[in-house]
Amino acid sequence: MNKERKRKYKIRYFRVGAAVFLLVLIFFGIALIVSSCGDGDGNKVQVAVITDTTTESFLATSENITETITEDTAASFVVYPKKSSESVEFSEDYDAVNAVLMCVEDNEIIAYRENSTRMYPASLTKVMSLIVAVENISDLSDTVLITNDMVSPMIAQNASRAGFVPGETPTLRDLLYGMILTSGADASLAVAEYVSGSEAAFAELMNAKAEEMGLRDTHFTNCTGLHHEKHYSTADDMALILEYAIRNDICRAVLTEYEYNYPPTQLNPEGLKFTSTLFERMYGDEMSGVLIKGGKTGYTDESGNCIESFAEIGGKTYILVLCGGTTKWNNIYNTLSAYSVYCAKGEPYSPLNH
């Protein structure tokens, strides 16, 4: 009888051991799948915590995890913010055709107007140019030869320029600040030439990045934002591009800088001073409880006045995009007012009170 009982116990222990061994194998198999799916592109993978130690329930749980992995890894790199019951349309006081105000942490739209409607992004384009440049440059101290082809066409089109002279060899760091702070088209073309050999090839990288990010309605034909019918985006997409940029330390440093000095050269004896087109028009702390950290402005005849920025309010980050404004100063006033009214629950901005 004792021998029979021992034999039964051995069988039972063997079965339990086999079940545990199978559980461990499945667990590590799933862990391997999760690690391979959660790649450097930032795809999100959900991992369930397993508390049931029976083989059957574990298999059921692992099946659910596999379905979650498949669903999440097929999703976009960026996560579009959602409207909630508290989301509102911008009031008519705001001078913008396309606009969106979102909370990054809550992934929620605070206020909107034609935010998913296609529009021309003008020089807000350069934020994507910055992203692609930073992700494809290994040494910002490398230099680039400024050519006549980088300067003369921009002069002819009356595009904003940083002021580099053909024959100069600024560093890539100089070019990035010239591209963003003064919205220099000459600097943008120099960066594109360095990274890809041509502006057209660089635009292909920009579109590849847009596709990788999962942007819904964005296409680039150039790195400067000069008008082209096939060069378009939406307020939503522009906000997500800015959100992506400020998660990168280099991009964030450039977008938040007020001023950058390019040292004197033989061709530029006095050097160049790049001042942010955003912060030359505001301090960023005019409104109580609001601190605007950085951003980008833009303008073409077709796009109107555009501005995008990000701010810290109550411990959270907010992003605001306003496009199609009638004047650059309206953009500034509307930016200050929108953060105050819709996020900080304060008073609208008025230049008469500041």
Side-chain angles (χ1 to χ4, degrees):
M1 185 67 179
N2 289 336
K3 289 183 180 181
E4 181 64 17
R5 182 178 295 175
K6 287 180 181 180
R7 186 180 70 82
K8 289 181 179 179
Y9 282 158
K10 286 180 181 180
I11 293 173
R12 182 179 298 174
Y13 290 146
F14 175 82
R15 289 176 176 171
V16 171
V20 171
F21 180 72
L22 178 60
L23 184 150
V24 171
L25 281 179
I26 295 173
F27 179 85
F28 281 105
I30 292 168
L32 181 61
I33 294 172
V34 169
S35 63
S36 63
C37 290
D39 58 18
D41 288 337
N43 294 318
K44 299 179 180 178
V45 179
Q46 296 180 359
V47 182
V49 177
I50 300 166
T51 57
D52 194 325
T53 57
T54 67
T55 304
E56 290 183 0
S57 63
F58 181 81
L59 289 172
T61 304
S62 66
E63 184 178 348
N64 292 335
I65 294 174
T66 303
E67 290 175 357
T68 302
I69 291 170
T70 302
E71 185 178 51
D72 284 355
T73 53
S76 301
F77 180 90
V78 296
V79 180
Y80 278 81
K82 303 294 183 182
K83 292 178 182 175
S84 72
S85 58
E86 298 182 357
S87 302
V88 297
E89 288 198 48
F90 277 104
S91 73
E92 294 181 359
D93 298 333
Y94 290 88
D95 177 20
V97 176
N98 310 94
V100 68
L101 173 60
M102 60 174 281
C103 176
V104 173
E105 284 79 6
D106 296 339
N107 197 42
E108 180 181 322
I109 290 177
I110 308 301
Y112 59 92
R113 178 189 294 164
E114 298 293 335
N115 52 303
S116 59
T117 301
R118 187 178 292 183
M119 52 85 175
Y120 300 121
S123 284
L124 303 190
T125 295
K126 294 185 177 84
V127 177
M128 179 62 98
S129 298
L130 176 66
I131 292 169
V132 172
V134 167
E135 292 188 347
N136 287 277
I137 292 172
S138 58
D139 187 355
L140 291 178
S141 64
D142 277 358
T143 58
V144 181
L145 175 65
I146 301 298
T147 67
N148 191 59
D149 289 341
M150 299 171 185
V151 178
S152 294
M154 299 301 101
I155 294 176
Q157 296 181 70
N158 198 31
S160 56
R161 292 175 293 114
F164 295 109
V165 177
E168 283 189 293
T169 55
T171 67
L172 288 161
R173 181 177 288 102
D174 298 330
L175 292 170
L176 293 184
Y177 280 98
M179 177 172 71
I180 295 299
L181 298 187
T182 60
S183 203
D186 49 352
S188 304
L189 291 174
V191 168
E193 182 79 20
Y194 175 88
V195 172
S196 302
S198 70
E199 184 179 20
F202 189 81
E204 290 180 7
L205 287 183
M206 295 169 69
N207 288 323
K209 189 64 185 181
E211 183 177 356
E212 174 191 314
M213 291 170 64
L215 299 179
R216 292 172 179 167
D217 201 9
T218 292
H219 184 266
F220 301 106
T221 62
N222 59 67
C223 63
T224 62
L226 289 171
H227 180 69
H228 191 287
E229 287 186 0
K230 294 184 178 180
H231 188 101
Y232 55 80
S233 188
T234 67
D236 279 344
D237 283 7
M238 283 289 110
L240 291 173
I241 290 171
L242 181 58
E243 179 186 354
Y244 183 100
I246 63 177
R247 294 182 188 278
N248 178 289
D249 290 342
I250 297 174
C251 293
R252 187 184 183 96
V254 175
L255 288 163
T256 57
E257 188 58 79
Y258 166 71
E259 189 174 274
Y260 180 89
N261 292 308
Y262 172 64
T265 68
Q266 197 169 29
L267 295 170
N268 254 316
E270 296 182 3
L272 296 169
K273 181 180 290 186
F274 306 143
T275 303
S276 166
T277 57
L278 180 76
F279 288 125
E280 71 179 359
R281 302 168 190 171
M282 69 164 82
Y283 294 107
D285 61 355
E286 287 88 341
M287 306 306 292
S288 178
V290 177
L291 180 60
I292 297 174
K293 304 288 288 183
K296 183 77 184 72
T297 64
Y299 172 82
T300 66
D301 290 341
E302 295 81 4
S303 69
N305 288 276
C306 301
I307 187 170
E308 63 182 14
S309 59
F310 67 102
E312 291 182 359
I313 304 168
K316 293 183 178 181
T317 300
Y318 294 84
I319 289 176
L320 173 64
V321 177
L322 300 170
C323 291
T326 56
T327 74
K328 65 182 182 182
W329 285 108
N330 278 358
N331 272 3
I332 296 297
Y333 302 153
N334 289 172
T335 294
L336 294 167
S337 183
Y339 282 128
S340 176
V341 171
Y342 293 107
C343 302
K345 308 304 180 185
E347 296 297 319
Y349 177 83
S350 172
L352 298 178
N353 298 329
H354 291 81

